[in-house]
Structure formats: structure tokens, C-alpha cells
Amino acid sequence: MNHILPNKLKALYALPLAAAVLPSCSQGGESEQQRPNIIFIMTDDHTTQAMSCYGGNLLQTPNMDRIANEGIRMDNCYATNALSGPSRACILTGKFGHVNGFTDNACRFDSTQVTFPKLLQAEGYRTGIVGKWHLISEPQGFDFWSILTGQEEQGDYYNPDFNENGVAIQEKGYATDIITDKALSFIDEATSEGKPYCLMFHHKAPHRNWMPSPENLGIFNDRVFPEPENLFDDYSSRTQAASSQDMSIASTLKEDWDLKVLTREEILAGGNRLLGVYSRMPEEVQHKWDSVYAPRIAEYRSGKLKGKELVSWKYQQYMRDYLATVLSVDQSIGRLLEHLEKNGTLDNTIIVYTSDQGFFLGEHGWFDKRFMYEECQRMPLIIRYPKAIRPGSTSNAICMNVDFAPTFLDFAGVDIPEDMQGRSLKEVLENEGKTPEDWRKAAYYHYYEYPAEHSVKRHYGIRTADFKLIHFYNDIDSWEMYDEKADPREMNNIYDDPAYSAQRERLTALLRQIQQEYGDTDPDERERVLFHGDRRFIGRSK
Ligand code: SGN
Ligand code: CA
């Protein structure tokens, strides 16, 4: 019925419909005709293994868990390309990278494209983005933006620089706190105007090089985290793509940047990458930093750590820093929820928490992402909106980051452009996570950034409920296939296993069909043409 109603009428219709489905969830006192606010929280590189609501045993994330417990946890949400810029471009446009033109981090986003914030803005929403943007061109479709700049737009953890509606500014403090302050003041302004709003609330954390806040510096230094059972993976049965990457805990983590085993004197002497970020910290924080990292430096230099023991040790240091930055994000979400509760708008706000992609926390011996393996292809996705979502729901529906744009438009009662390639999740969310009959059977993936940092070969593939099929191409031509139920850690490549030949044929046919459907049929050829995306570093192409 929705598609024959004009937008405004649809918006009015949407809520009573949801309320009819979930009578116990409707909120007394608030106007049922109010269009929902949308707060889209996205972190950078936060993975489900580091969220207690996804069963992770590394740390507690009570505020994220609250969103999941009072809303829905999506268990099969996938990035279409596990890299920041590409994921963000898919989210804004509802289209895959080969269509929106942003295929790797060397691209510049064509901001003249239709995006969901532009459409919401045109329908009376106040729109804002705070934090990481990473798409290089200036944001369009936002009434307010304050986006991180520097280090090729990754921004800084301490005293970060921003582009705020076109003006360069530097803020004092810790990025996660500052971005939260900006989010809350946007919310206050929009709320006082009485307009519905859409806020993209995008943290830098927990991106490399994992610098904790002053309060959380060293907070996990007494903890020993469980190692993933495949920390010492030997890649047997996998293709050369797995063994030729450069993202291992054993050898890729840098002493200065990642492990932080430099003394103050060494940092200040220069010739290291820490100097730039260390000198942004106030002196008292530098001193806390020095004392927190001193025992680590001593241990590292004791000469006692060798071989596997050294790798295990590096894993612990990596976890301590990464998880400490996650803790600040969880605290930020706590602040947000409390703020909305106090101003009375919590239940009329769709709160989404996700990350641009997942991340390896030592699985296969790695950090970083990029591969179409489960840990980083999977995105966390939890959503709270009691007017439509029954608290405590979970869902196995296969969704992708291209679904977010149509979902937000749908909830706002705004027409979804026909050329958006994702599908609205509204129906799934309103039905306690049940997968509709005609839902897609697979998530599509395509990674392009090679040759480049971390040396992950170009590849594409599909993930169904039970299997994964991957084709690595460009300077290799090799396939991997996994039985996800029998082998969730993806250790056993069954592509050439005769017992799976029927499934292999079926999956290959499905992959080709999906590529036809999405118009992604000739990856090598398309790479030469470079469509309407504008690249900054030509060197990263062929
Ligand atoms: C930086 C990091 C990489 C990371 C990319 C992309 N290197 O270049 O480890 O893969 O960002 O990350 S660093 O030495 O500068 O820390 S993304 O999330 O933005 O795609
Ligand atoms: Ca990222």
C-alpha cells in the first residue's frame, strides 16, 4: 500500500501501521504522527567479536547491549567491500561501489549523486554528519557537518582537526568525546527547531593506531585476553591470497605506531610516526602515556620474547589498546541514550549502531580487514526503535550496507529511488527479524584495493546462509569456498573437494546471476574504465 501514497501521507500511515503490529510498543503521550529522528552511529573498524551483545568475551559493552536488548540484533549484515570509503559510499547511495564510483580508498566521492541524506533533507529533515567522513569531496545534503580532516581524512585521536561547514578548526580533547559533544549539540538544536532530524554520528575509534582516551589509557594492562584458536593459522588449503597478505600480528604491526614501544625521549627525537600524534596530546596526558607504556617497553626489550611467545605478546598489546578505544565508544553511546531519555525523544528516534566493516582480532593471525572472511565482512548492526521493533529481537536475514539508505527513507516515509540497489529492512525489523519469503539468498562482495597497503588481492564473491564462494583475481586466478556451518572459522577451503561439487556449481551459477543483476560483470574491464569516480592516486590502479 505504501507505494501508491504520496510521501507525506505515507509518513502518517507508517506509524499507526507499526503500532497495529506491535500494540504493546506504542508510546503513550507522543504524537503517533511524528516522523522518527534517525541517529546513525557508525564506528570505524569495530567488529562483532568486541561486542558483548554478539557474544564476544573480550569486553563488556553495556550501552551497545542496551540498544540490542531494547531493539534488534542483525546477525547477518555484510559489508559489500570491507574498507572505509567504499562502505561509506555504499551506505550514502544505496548502491554498490561499481555503480557509485567509489571502489577503494584512493577514490574521491562524486557528491553530486543522490544520497539518502539529500532526500531526507528535501523532505524536511534536518541533516548532519559529525566525525569520520573519509570521502574527500565536501559533504552535500547536510545542514551541518563537522568532519575529521588530516592523515588523508582518517583524522586524529587527540586534538583533532575538523572541517566544519567549510571552515577548518582544531578541537581540544579526545576524538570520541568531541564527536559525541558535537552530536549532542546537533540533536539539541534540531530538537529545539521541532524538525525531525537525521544525524550521521561517525566515530574515528577504534581505527588503527588504537590510541585510548586519557581515562582509559592502560585500563586493560592487567588483563590477559583469550587468543583466537587460529592465531597461528598456517593457511594450508587456502589460496595464495591468504598467505601473501601483509596484515599479520607477527610481522606487520609497527613498533612505534602500533605497539607503541618507544620512550618519550625516543618519540621526541623524531624519525618515528608516533611523534605527530603524541605531540597533539596535552603534556599531562603524555606523562600518563609514558607511565602506562613503560612496563610494556621494558618487557619488549627484555629479550625474553621470541617466536610464538612474541606473537602472543603482540596480540595482547594490540587487544589492550583496541579494546580500550572501544570502551570510550560504548561510553559515548551511554551518553547519547541518557541525553535522549532526558529530552524525551528516545522512543521516537531510530538508533542504529554499526561499523563501516568488521575487523580481525587475531583470527588467522591478522589485524585489519579487506578480506571477504567472516570477521570483517560481517558488520555489527543493532537498531533500537520501539515503535516498530520488538525489544530483544534477532534476525538472520542477509543484509548489506546498501540496504541502509532505503531503510531510512522507508521509515521516514520518503520515496526510495528505483535505482537504489539495496532493499529496505523495514519489513524485517517490524516482523521481529523474520526473513520475508522473497528475500535475497546471498550477500555480494567486491574488494578492489590492490596493489596497496596490506596486500590483499582483489576478489569478489557471495555469502549465502550456508556457504561462501570467493574468486581472487587480477594477478592471480584462484577460488575458495567454505562450508559456514561446518567450518565457521573458514580454515578449510572446500572448492576442490568432490563432496561439494554440486554446491560449487550451484553457488557459481548464483554468483554469476547476482553479478548480472547488480551489473558487475567484468571486474577487470571496469577497472580500466574507472566510471565516474575520480581517483586521487593513479598508482593504485593497475
Ligand atoms: C590506514 C591504516 C591501514 C588501514 C587503512 C584503511 N594504516 O592506512 O591499516 O587499512 O587506513 O582503513 S595506518 O598505518 O595509517 O594506521 S579504513 O578503515 O579507513 O579503510
Ligand atoms: Ca574502517
Side-chain angles (χ1 to χ4, degrees):
M1 177 175 295
N2 264 1
H3 57 276
I4 53 166
L5 293 173
N7 285 333
K8 296 235 159 53
L9 250 184
K10 273 199 284 179
L12 298 182
Y13 196 81
L15 292 173
L17 182 72
V21 176
L22 295 169
S24 61
C25 296
S26 64
Q27 303 299 306
E30 276 177 22
S31 160
E32 283 192 329
Q33 294 172 1
Q34 228 174 324
R35 288 190 287 172
N37 302 313
I38 298 166
I39 300 182
F40 179 64
I41 313 164
M42 182 157 72
T43 38
D44 195 1
D45 295 355
H46 186 207
T47 189
T48 53
Q49 306 94 285
M51 291 173 79
S52 39
C53 53
Y54 275 97
N57 60 356
L58 295 164
L59 87 169
Q60 290 301 310
T61 48
N63 296 300
M64 295 174 195
D65 295 5
R66 180 176 170 195
I67 296 179
N69 294 336
E70 296 177 5
I72 191 165
R73 189 190 73 209
M74 307 298 289
D75 287 343
N76 287 314
C77 179
Y78 292 105
T80 52
N81 179 354
L83 202 60
S84 168
S87 180
R88 289 160 206 271
C90 288
I91 288 168
L92 283 168
T93 60
K95 296 173 183 166
F96 291 91
H98 64 275
V99 175
N100 69 44
F102 203 107
T103 48
D104 65 37
N105 279 342
C107 295
R108 181 191 304 274
F109 185 61
D110 170 5
S111 290
T112 63
Q113 294 182 81
V114 172
T115 62
F116 82 83
K118 284 187 188 174
L119 296 171
L120 290 176
Q121 191 185 41
E123 291 289 333
Y125 267 73
R126 184 167 169 79
T127 55
I129 174 162
V130 295
K132 186 166 174 181
W133 165 248
H134 204 195
L135 297 177
I136 312 299
S137 53
E138 276 208 337
Q140 286 186 25
F142 295 95
D143 299 305
F144 175 77
W145 73 83
S146 190
I147 53 169
L148 289 163
T149 56
Q151 292 186 34
E152 281 293 307
E153 319 304 303
Q154 295 285 3
D156 279 282
Y157 275 108
Y158 280 91
N159 289 1
D161 297 313
F162 289 85
N163 167 343
E164 191 158 295
N165 283 48
V167 180
I169 55 169
Q170 184 178 18
E171 303 281 13
K172 293 262 172 294
Y174 184 67
T176 305
D177 300 333
I178 295 165
I179 294 165
T180 309
D181 294 341
K182 287 179 186 288
L184 300 188
S185 46
F186 174 87
I187 290 168
D188 286 346
E189 260 181 49
T191 308
S192 67
E193 265 182 18
K195 268 187 171 185
Y197 63 82
C198 171
L199 171 66
M200 301 182 78
F201 179 4
H202 292 186
H203 282 296
K204 168 181 176 60
H207 194 272
R208 193 179 178 193
N209 70 337
W210 318 298
M211 293 173 72
S213 69
E215 306 75 48
N216 292 332
L217 264 173
I219 196 153
F220 290 130
N221 278 8
D222 296 330
R223 284 279 304 277
V224 177
F225 294 98
E227 284 181 2
E229 56 192 58
N230 53 1
L231 178 62
F232 296 100
D233 192 353
D234 63 5
Y235 316 121
S236 58
S237 97
R238 263 59 54 76
T239 66
Q240 192 220 339
S243 46
S244 64
Q245 46 57 46
D246 179 22
M247 48 196 259
S248 73
I249 294 194
S251 51
T252 313
L253 288 176
K254 302 274 185 302
E255 286 187 357
D256 58 347
W257 189 240
D258 304 301
L259 296 170
K260 311 175 182 79
V261 287
L262 287 192
T263 63
R264 176 178 176 81
E265 293 65 36
E266 288 162 347
I267 296 171
L268 295 178
N272 64 82
R273 208 166 155 207
L274 264 189
L275 177 61
V277 291
Y278 182 87
S279 45
R280 283 178 177 263
M281 299 193 282
E283 210 173 315
E284 69 274 14
V285 181
Q286 291 178 348
H287 291 311
K288 181 162 185 197
W289 174 286
D290 299 336
S291 64
V292 159
Y293 289 105
R296 181 186 292 195
I297 296 169
E299 235 181 330
Y300 186 66
R301 293 182 180 174
S302 68
K304 290 184 194 144
L305 298 162
K306 296 216 164 55
K308 283 192 168 180
E309 215 189 328
L310 178 58
V311 176
S312 293
W313 183 87
K314 287 183 182 177
Y315 165 75
Q316 293 300 331
Q317 314 318 314
Y318 164 39
M319 281 304 90
R320 285 170 183 170
D321 292 343
Y322 176 95
L323 296 173
T325 69
V326 172
L327 213 53
S328 296
V329 174
D330 193 66
Q331 288 156 351
S332 151
I333 291 170
R335 276 182 71 195
L336 171 76
L337 294 174
E338 199 181 315
H339 197 81
L340 296 175
E341 218 158 22
K342 278 201 186 128
N343 79 7
T345 61
L346 181 63
D347 289 347
N348 193 47
T349 303
I350 300 173
I351 302 174
V352 178
Y353 180 85
T354 187
S355 179
D356 57 350
Q357 53 346 261
F359 213 63
F360 293 108
L361 300 182
E363 300 87 359
H364 305 285
W366 298 334
F367 68 96
D368 212 66
K369 55 265 176 173
R370 299 161 188 269
F371 275 110
M372 195 192 157
Y373 297 137
E374 217 46 17
E375 291 80 2
C376 58
Q377 187 192 4
R378 184 189 299 278
M379 302 165 79
L381 179 61
I382 49 179
I383 309 173
R384 185 190 189 283
Y385 183 45
K387 288 184 176 176
I389 299 172
R390 188 172 299 279
S393 314
T394 59
S395 177
N396 287 323
I398 294 176
C399 37
M400 296 183 277
N401 51 6
V402 287
D403 298 333
F404 298 177
T407 304
F408 298 146
L409 295 173
D410 204 1
F411 271 109
V414 174
D415 286 334
I416 302 166
E418 283 200 349
D419 64 349
M420 279 197 177
Q421 295 176 297
R423 177 169 167 177
S424 167
L425 302 172
K426 186 163 176 273
E427 187 185 349
V428 177
L429 302 180
E430 286 177 348
N431 283 300
E432 299 176 41
K434 289 191 189 71
T435 308
E437 284 283 303
D438 63 343
W439 199 251
R440 67 169 69 89
K441 300 289 176 260
Y444 183 59
Y445 190 88
H446 196 154
Y447 171 82
Y448 305 79
E449 196 176 280
Y450 178 87
E453 193 176 11
H454 299 304
S455 286
V456 173
K457 307 269 191 204
R458 293 180 194 197
H459 57 291
Y460 56 80
I462 49 170
R463 165 66 153 106
T464 66
D466 297 328
F467 291 98
K468 186 174 289 186
L469 179 69
I470 313 176
H471 182 211
F472 292 95
Y473 72 97
N474 186 236
D475 64 351
I476 57 170
D477 178 9
S478 44
W479 292 79
E480 292 183 5
M481 181 173 148
Y482 296 97
D483 179 338
E484 297 291 338
K485 291 280 177 317
D487 176 27
R489 290 186 179 76
E490 302 171 332
M491 299 294 285
N492 185 23
N493 175 15
I494 51 165
Y495 187 78
D496 291 320
D497 184 340
Y500 286 96
S501 60
Q503 274 95 340
R504 189 179 87 183
E505 266 178 45
R506 188 181 57 79
L507 286 167
T508 312
L510 182 61
L511 167 67
R512 296 308 179 200
Q513 182 197 319
I514 287 173
Q515 288 185 312
Q516 286 287 343
E517 193 184 316
Y518 292 140
D520 191 21
T521 45
D522 189 351
D524 274 318
E525 173 57 28
R526 205 193 40 259
E527 184 62 24
R528 278 190 288 278
V529 175
L530 292 179
F531 29 94
H532 58 278
D534 170 15
R535 295 176 66 84
R536 289 172 298 133
F537 323 123
I538 299 303
R540 281 198 188 160
S541 184
K542 286 259 136 179

